[in-house]
Amino acid sequence: MEQIISSLQQFWQYTGFANCAWANIAMIAIGITFITVAILKEWEPLLLVPIGFGMILGNIPMFPGLNIGIYEDGSVLNILYQGVRQGWYPPLIFLGIGAMTDFSALISQPRLILIGAAAQMGIFGAYLLALLFGFMPNEAGAIGIIGGADGPTAIFLSSKLAPDLMGAIAVSAYSYMALVPVIQRPIMLALTTKKERLMKMPAPRAVTQKEKIIFPVIGFITTAFIVPSGLPLLGMLFFGNLLKESGVTRRLAETARGPLVDVITILIGITVGASTQADKFLTGKSILIFGLGLLSFVIATTCGVCFVKFINLLIRDPKKKINPLIGNAGVSAVPDAARVSEVAGREFDPSNHLLMHAMGPNVAGVIGSAVAAGILLSFLG
């Protein structure tokens, strides 16, 4: 009888109930919230469902020493997490992004790249704010990249500059990507007048296939010479686009934008979510990172819209002016930010379609966030 009781006591010690703390319950509840929001609201479900389930997975209480946790060397989760820690997954995601991105809107209206550049001020604004709040320069740089609205770039840069903060930075970046419509719309409406919202832009010119093939080659050489430290992200982005546009590598392009990016998205989501282990995630720094991440989004959106209003002052021909509602699209959340521009424009004039115009700064934002990451890495790495 004593042996049975002893065995039951030993079994109890290994259960999650015996090792549970309030922090584990809190993180599991957050994970369930992520999944619920992703399903009911359809906010970035391909990201929030894996991340939410990963949060639950990483916060199941366990007896120490079982070698199954994400932070225990040699465990399955730890091995999969190395793709995040070592920065392997983000370039592969960028390969898929390049293979599914059409740069025609940007090629036809090159001036729109300036909007994408202006929106990156959110990154450097958040960097300065993080320094003011006492973060080390390398940590501030990793936090600032949240303003680019680019989860893979945030993971890549934080893996190099601040690995210990990666969980909070990655979850913050992906969370705010899902909340792009909620965050950006009020800012856009507050900064524009009714007359500006009704502004119509001429249809962009048609882009030739030759231009589409030349662009990724010239684009990569130019950006890589400016920031060689951004090579892994920029190289894979433009290479993926070349696979798409060349016309002779269709199978490779379909693999890159289909099965490959889907597998990597699953691995990033589940491991980033699992990395939010309560004892490492629920800290004052994590809360501060979420706050700074929100501010970086606000700064990026504000700078993008205000920059369009500024350059409109320099354009004399009314037909060539830019609708400020596409200024928000300078962040890297493709195509969600561009859709916000479209919805906001049609809200005030159902015949005013801004999507194709907004895609220009939106894809420029993808390039811009990678360039900004390269700049931060070059002087902080």
Side-chain angles (χ1 to χ4, degrees):
M1 188 66 176
E2 290 181 3
Q3 187 175 359
I4 294 175
I5 294 174
S6 177
S7 296
L8 289 174
Q9 288 176 336
Q10 185 176 3
F11 170 74
W12 172 256
Q13 291 176 357
Y14 279 87
T15 65
F17 298 104
N19 295 279
C20 187
W22 71 267
N24 297 116
I25 300 300
M27 289 306 304
I28 289 173
I30 293 173
I32 293 173
T33 301
F34 270 50
I35 295 171
T36 303
V37 168
I39 294 173
L40 296 182
K41 298 291 186 179
E42 295 188 13
W43 289 348
E44 295 287 351
L46 298 182
L47 298 173
L48 294 191
V49 169
I51 290 175
F53 193 84
M55 286 181 171
I56 300 173
L57 179 66
N59 284 281
I60 297 298
M62 64 184 69
F63 189 83
L66 293 179
N67 201 37
I68 56 175
I70 195 166
Y71 291 109
E72 295 180 285
D73 290 339
S75 70
V76 174
L77 282 176
N78 181 264
I79 292 170
L80 294 176
Y81 187 51
Q82 293 309 305
V84 174
R85 293 279 298 186
Q86 302 298 328
W88 304 333
Y89 295 154
L92 295 177
I93 290 286
F94 261 65
L95 176 65
I97 292 173
M100 65 177 74
T101 299
D102 186 352
F103 285 104
S104 297
L106 184 60
I107 298 171
S108 64
Q109 302 180 81
R111 63 179 181 165
L112 297 183
I113 198 171
L114 297 175
I115 303 174
Q120 305 313 310
M121 290 303 298
I123 294 174
F124 297 100
Y127 167 70
L128 295 175
L129 287 173
L131 289 177
L132 290 176
F133 277 95
F135 285 95
M136 297 297 291
N138 59 313
E139 295 176 333
I143 293 169
I145 204 67
I146 298 172
D150 191 331
T153 302
I155 291 173
F156 177 79
L157 192 62
S158 57
S159 72
K160 306 297 182 185
L161 297 182
D164 293 339
L165 302 180
M166 187 189 303
I169 291 171
V171 171
S172 178
Y174 280 120
S175 299
Y176 290 131
M177 284 173 65
L179 293 172
V180 159
V182 178
I183 297 171
Q184 289 195 320
R185 184 180 178 278
I187 300 172
M188 294 160 62
L189 298 185
L191 295 174
T192 56
T193 64
K194 184 177 180 180
K195 181 180 178 181
E196 288 174 328
R197 297 170 203 150
L198 294 173
M199 193 180 295
K200 290 191 175 182
M201 299 172 62
R205 69 172 180 84
V207 177
T208 66
Q209 190 62 29
K210 184 177 180 180
E211 288 177 295
K212 292 182 179 181
I213 294 172
I214 293 174
F215 179 79
V217 177
I218 300 300
F220 171 64
I221 293 172
T222 303
T223 54
F225 266 78
I226 295 172
V227 280
S229 49
L231 197 68
L233 298 179
L234 292 167
M236 296 301 262
L237 174 70
F238 285 115
F239 175 55
N241 189 247
L242 181 61
L243 292 178
K244 172 182 179 291
E245 302 296 356
S246 67
V248 293
T249 52
R250 182 176 300 174
R251 285 174 53 193
L252 299 182
E254 289 177 352
T255 299
R257 65 173 172 254
L260 177 62
V261 77
D262 289 344
V263 169
I264 301 301
T265 298
I266 291 171
L267 293 176
I268 278 187
I270 202 78
T271 53
V272 164
S275 72
T276 62
Q277 203 167 287
D279 59 337
K280 296 182 181 293
F281 186 80
L282 288 181
T283 64
K285 275 190 173 183
S286 295
I287 296 172
L288 194 51
I289 287 169
F290 268 80
L292 290 170
L294 177 59
L295 285 175
S296 67
F297 255 70
V298 172
I299 295 170
T301 305
T302 301
C303 288
V305 175
C306 289
F307 180 76
V308 175
K309 291 167 69 75
F310 170 73
I311 60 176
N312 277 344
L313 296 175
L314 307 177
I315 300 173
R316 294 186 177 182
D317 187 350
K319 295 181 179 180
K320 293 184 179 180
K321 290 184 181 292
I322 302 171
N323 190 314
L325 287 178
I326 73 169
N328 74 294
V331 298
S332 183
V334 179
D336 290 346
R339 286 176 184 157
V340 174
S341 304
E342 168 78 0
V343 172
R346 295 191 65 189
E347 181 180 338
F348 294 92
D349 180 356
S351 66
N352 192 11
H353 295 280
L354 296 174
L355 183 62
M356 285 308 299
H357 301 289
M359 283 303 297
N362 209 182
V363 297
V366 177
I367 300 171
S369 65
V371 170
I375 293 171
L376 290 170
L377 189 59
S378 64
F379 69 86
L380 294 175

